[in-house]
């Protein structure tokens, strides 16, 4: 149950915004300085950052270190023209694309460095970290550059320079991840507010599908040397589990977030598999990484920095990719109801643990579940084959009706 003040603010979010506008107008990333922590609450309430709990009274340095270690992607200027003749800056339109980079960047950090890795200014960085940064450099041949995201978005019905919703950027990231042979991620976008366990396990353990095909072939006497070779996949060729990035686009209300989802949303940040949430306010995207009390903690991409050019040896001037300021905060009732929640599961055990935790949350009477977790595909859902959930870039027009770029076709969740 929400306290009376929070309930009032949820019903009148505009009043809350106006009340704080005079205090927050000057608190931007351009004016704040690292170490100025006065705006962070002196509270005994726990601070949660992507599955880790902190004490604001005794662990401020640890909180700052954790926030600073997240990759911070912002507007850039003076990068090579997108598409050869397109824009050289994403200021004003690229904030959701940058948030998509941040949530995927966090997944890559988990994949290659681990959750407990910490960044420090001036330290010699690991090769894996440098490789991750190079995947986001603003040039056409980087896996997850603004150039790649913007051009792939054209296939989702978004002209270059147009603002994205969280659903669109999730679909684009799913397509781009196919080309990243180093990370070998499975990026799955769960539609219709439903996560299907069987579907995910087939994607992350493709050998299950191959094994099934082998059994069927053996039954009809068609097993031959070639098929045996295809089925006898080594662990190197087909790992037992491909690391999963699960993105779940949701709409948690009409024009404002339904307060019935607030506690559930907060609990998602407490899960060890949490990658955070991309969303924000209308046409102003943020990357939410945690909460304290009734306030969300987020990284804001709305600062324009010069584009970065790697040196000849691939090293990157990385200080501009880490937010060395106190984290921004906003009341949870200000959140636009259109979001995408992200989770990372390196192993099958981690995914099974996530499923157990989600089911436990579903039984909690303190909030309304944001999505449904089911073992197998419900009969009312479109089949996997019909949606073509495996990447096929020639079918973007067929998928458009399912992946509406303006996020207008979400099922509205309400009491």
């Amino acid at each position: 149950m929400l306290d009376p003040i929070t309930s009032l603010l949820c019903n009148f979010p505009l009043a809350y915004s106006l009340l704080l506008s005079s205090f927050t107008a000057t608190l931007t990333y351009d004016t704040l300085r690292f170490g100025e922590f006065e705006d962070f609450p002196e509270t005994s309430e726990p601070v949660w950052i992507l599955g880790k709990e902190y004490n604001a009274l005794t662990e401020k340095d640890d909180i700052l270190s954790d926030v600073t270690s997240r990759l911070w992607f912002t507007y850039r200027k003076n990068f090579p023209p997108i598409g050869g003749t397109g824009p050289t800056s994403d200021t004003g339109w690229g904030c959701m694309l940058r948030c998509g980079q941040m949530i995927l960047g966090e997944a890559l950090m988990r994949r290659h460095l681990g959750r407990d890795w910490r960044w420090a200014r001036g330290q010699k960085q690991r090769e894996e970290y440098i490789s991750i940064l190079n995947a986001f450099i603003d040039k056409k041949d980087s896996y997850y550059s603004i150039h790649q995201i913007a051009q792939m978005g054209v296939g989702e019905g978004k002209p270059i320079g147009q603002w994205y919703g969280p659903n669109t950027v999730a679909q684009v990231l799913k397509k781009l991840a196919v080309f990243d042979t180093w990370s070998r991620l499975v990026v799955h976008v769960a539609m219709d507010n439903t996560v299907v366990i069987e579907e995910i396990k087939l994607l992350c353990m493709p050998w299950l599908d191959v094994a099934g095909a082998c059994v069927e072939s053996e039954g009809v006497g068609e097993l031959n040397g070639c098929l045996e070779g295809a089925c006898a996949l080594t662990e190197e060729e087909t790992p037992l589990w491909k690391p999963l990035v699960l993105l779940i686009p949701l709409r948690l209300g009409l024009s404002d977030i339904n307060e019935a989802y607030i506690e559930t949303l907060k609990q998602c940040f407490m899960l060890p598999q949490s990658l955070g949430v991309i969303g924000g306010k209308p046409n102003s995207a943020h990357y939410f990484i945690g909460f304290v009390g009734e306030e969300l903690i987020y990284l804001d991409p709305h600062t324009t920095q010069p584009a970065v050019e790697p040196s000849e040896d691939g090293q990157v001037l990385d200080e501009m990719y880490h937010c060395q300021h106190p984290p921004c905060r906003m009341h949870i009732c200000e959140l636009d109801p259109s979001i995408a929640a992200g989770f990372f599961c390196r192993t099958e055990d981690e995914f099974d643990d996530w499923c157990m935790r989600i089911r436990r949350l579903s039984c909690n009477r303190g909030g309304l579940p944001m999505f449904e977790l089911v073992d197998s595909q419900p009969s009312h859902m479109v089949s996997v084959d019909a949606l073509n959930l495996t990447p096929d870039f020639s079918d973007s027009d067929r998928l458009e009706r399912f992946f509406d770029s303006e996020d207008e076709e979400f099922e509205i969740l309400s009491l």
Side-chain angles (χ1 to χ4, degrees), residues 377-411:
Q377 184 171 276
S379 58
H380 69 272
M381 290 184 64
V382 181
S383 71
V384 174
D385 291 336
L387 277 175
N388 193 22
L389 293 177
T390 54
D392 183 347
F393 304 142
S394 65
D395 287 346
S396 59
D397 56 336
R398 187 159 61 88
L399 295 176
E400 185 175 359
R401 61 185 291 266
F402 298 103
F403 303 146
D404 180 69
S405 59
E406 294 298 332
D407 302 313
E408 292 174 347
E409 295 184 6
F410 284 116
E411 177 182 347

Side-chain angles (χ1 to χ4, degrees), residues 36-48:
E36 295 179 1
F37 221 114
E38 291 80 10
D39 70 322
F40 203 83
E42 296 283 343
T43 176
S44 59
E45 292 188 278
V47 178
W48 285 93

Side-chain angles (χ1 to χ4, degrees), residues 127-373:
E127 290 184 5
E128 297 93 335
Y129 168 80
I130 299 300
S131 296
I132 292 171
L133 272 189
N134 274 287
F136 294 94
I137 294 295
D138 298 309
K139 57 182 182 179
K140 65 178 182 180
D141 54 349
S142 296
Y143 286 134
Y144 307 111
S145 67
I146 193 77
H147 298 65
Q148 293 284 1
I149 296 176
Q151 291 186 290
M152 188 65 76
V154 174
E156 295 292 326
K158 283 291 187 181
I160 295 173
Q162 188 170 342
W163 197 84
Y164 283 26
N167 183 37
T168 303
V169 77
Q171 298 297 336
V172 169
L173 293 175
K174 171 186 171 181
K175 290 184 175 182
L176 291 178
V178 176
F179 299 101
D180 184 358
T181 55
W182 175 52
S183 299
R184 302 184 74 177
L185 298 173
V186 168
V187 177
H188 178 64
V189 182
M191 300 303 294
D192 298 321
N193 313 310
T194 305
V195 177
V196 183
I197 295 174
E198 179 184 56
E199 187 175 288
I200 289 175
K201 293 207 170 186
L202 284 175
L203 290 171
C204 293
M205 298 187 290
W207 57 270
L208 285 176
D209 211 18
V210 172
C214 291
V215 171
E216 291 177 8
S217 300
E218 186 176 11
V220 295
E222 294 181 358
L223 189 63
N224 54 42
C226 293
L227 191 53
E228 281 182 345
C231 294
L233 298 174
T234 67
E235 184 175 349
E236 181 180 359
E237 292 169 333
T238 303
L240 295 181
W241 175 273
K242 290 185 176 181
L244 170 68
V245 176
L246 176 59
L247 301 175
I248 311 176
L250 298 163
R251 193 170 186 93
L252 305 180
L254 293 173
S255 59
D256 302 310
I257 185 172
N258 186 329
E259 66 180 56
Y261 297 110
I262 287 179
E263 288 305 314
T264 309
L265 177 61
K266 289 163 63 175
Q267 289 168 350
C268 282
F269 290 108
M270 300 164 66
L271 300 177
Q273 298 89 351
S274 175
L275 291 176
V277 168
I278 55 176
K281 304 173 185 178
N283 295 322
S284 181
H286 303 311
Y287 173 41
F288 298 94
I289 59 174
F291 74 95
V292 53
E294 299 302 319
E295 292 186 311
L296 296 175
I297 300 169
Y298 65 92
L299 297 179
D300 190 342
H302 298 90
T303 290
T304 303
Q305 302 186 84
V308 174
E309 279 289 336
S311 59
E312 292 183 359
D313 61 357
Q315 295 296 308
V316 178
L317 182 63
D318 63 340
E319 289 191 15
M320 291 193 296
Y321 290 101
H322 294 275
C323 174
Q324 300 172 65
H325 319 99
C328 291
R329 307 188 326 275
M330 61 176 264
H331 198 279
I332 196 168
C333 288
E334 289 189 287
L335 181 67
D336 186 271
S338 179
I339 65 169
F343 304 93
F344 177 74
C345 301
R346 177 191 290 271
T347 65
E348 183 182 9
D349 285 344
E350 289 185 9
F351 178 65
D352 291 340
D353 177 75
W354 179 84
C355 292
M356 178 194 69
R357 292 172 184 269
I358 292 299
R359 284 181 166 138
R360 191 179 299 162
L361 289 179
S362 299
C363 299
N364 189 342
R365 296 184 179 180
L368 196 64
M370 298 191 302
F371 55 87
E372 185 179 8
L373 179 66

